[in-house]
Amino acid sequence: MAPTLPPPGPRQIGVRTQIWPEYGGRVTTLRTAHTCDLDPTELRAARALMDEAFDGDFTDADWDHGLGGVHALVCDDSGLLLAHGSVVQRRILHNGRSLRAGYVEAVAVRPDRQRQGLGGQVMGALERVIDRAYVLGALSASDEGQRLYLARGWREWKGSVGTLGPEGVIHMPDEEPPLLWGAGADLDPVHELLIDWRDGDVF
């Protein structure tokens, strides 16, 4: 049975917006909240959505990467979680600067509610967070997801990438380049983009 989130209460801190989607004509609620303001039921529902949307190909490490930042959750009027995404802070080193980046993680929509604008609702909320709180946004996209992001104005990084690992710089010539949001002309592809190290997939 699909997880249903509890009705609004004193513990549910965040910003809520009622939305009438372009597709389906159904009222949904978009909520943004930090990980610390989500109760265990909400986090379990979001984790279960990842397994459902990615057909089991979403690891605990992948989920951990999406915690510690701001979540966007879309629910229907019964409280059923339909879509989720989060943005967490990371550091990108580029041309002698350390840039505060909002990294998008754990974006998913219930399989039976895809292509109804819900992913766009989630991304709109996360992009607003990036615009207000970070120098730029970044994400690693699947082939299917890339179409959504490029249509929204995300741009593919044209330079080389790597990471600053425990033993120094690690070049990653075979890594798919990330998509960037709001970077403008400040990033020069002549210089390598180095993202901070983490367990699991670096990008």
Side-chain angles (χ1 to χ4, degrees):
M1 181 176 179
T4 300
L5 299 187
R11 293 191 60 191
Q12 289 194 310
I13 303 169
V15 177
R16 290 180 174 273
T17 306
Q18 292 294 119
I19 297 176
W20 190 274
E22 179 180 353
Y23 304 100
R26 306 173 188 175
V27 175
T28 58
T29 300
L30 169 66
R31 179 181 176 222
T32 55
H34 194 276
T35 301
C36 70
D37 293 321
L38 299 180
D39 65 32
T41 300
E42 293 174 299
L43 291 171
R44 284 195 298 269
R47 179 66 180 92
L49 175 62
M50 297 302 113
D51 284 333
E52 185 175 8
F54 289 96
D55 196 24
D57 189 24
F58 194 89
T59 68
D60 288 340
D62 294 330
W63 175 241
D64 185 69
H65 292 165
L67 300 178
V70 175
H71 300 250
L73 307 98
V74 178
C75 298
D76 66 12
D77 53 7
S78 72
L80 178 66
L81 182 62
L82 305 177
H84 171 276
S86 62
V87 58
V88 299
Q89 180 170 312
R90 300 189 69 182
R91 282 284 173 178
I92 287 178
L93 302 181
H94 179 75
N95 194 20
R97 294 183 297 160
S98 176
L99 305 173
R100 188 177 66 256
Y103 203 87
V104 173
E105 295 281 3
V107 176
V109 178
R110 278 177 55 91
D112 60 345
R113 294 297 303 273
Q114 293 177 0
R115 296 176 178 83
Q116 296 180 10
L118 300 178
Q121 292 178 20
V122 167
M123 288 306 300
L126 299 181
E127 288 158 3
R128 178 181 178 274
V129 173
I130 293 169
D131 289 341
R132 299 288 186 90
Y134 297 100
V135 176
L136 76 159
L139 59 80
S140 178
S142 64
D143 291 339
E144 182 177 355
Q146 188 171 33
R147 293 192 292 271
L148 167 67
Y149 305 130
L150 292 177
R152 297 187 61 84
W154 289 74
R155 296 180 296 108
E156 186 175 336
W157 171 244
K158 299 300 184 181
S160 58
V161 297
T163 184
L164 186 59
E167 298 181 2
V169 172
I170 301 173
H171 305 289
M172 305 175 72
D174 298 325
E175 181 69 33
E176 288 292 326
L179 300 184
L180 303 179
W181 175 266
D186 292 334
L187 299 186
D188 185 348
V190 171
H191 300 281
E192 189 173 33
L193 187 154
L194 300 174
I195 200 162
D196 54 6
W197 175 264
R198 66 182 184 183
D199 292 335
D201 292 332
V202 173
F203 281 93

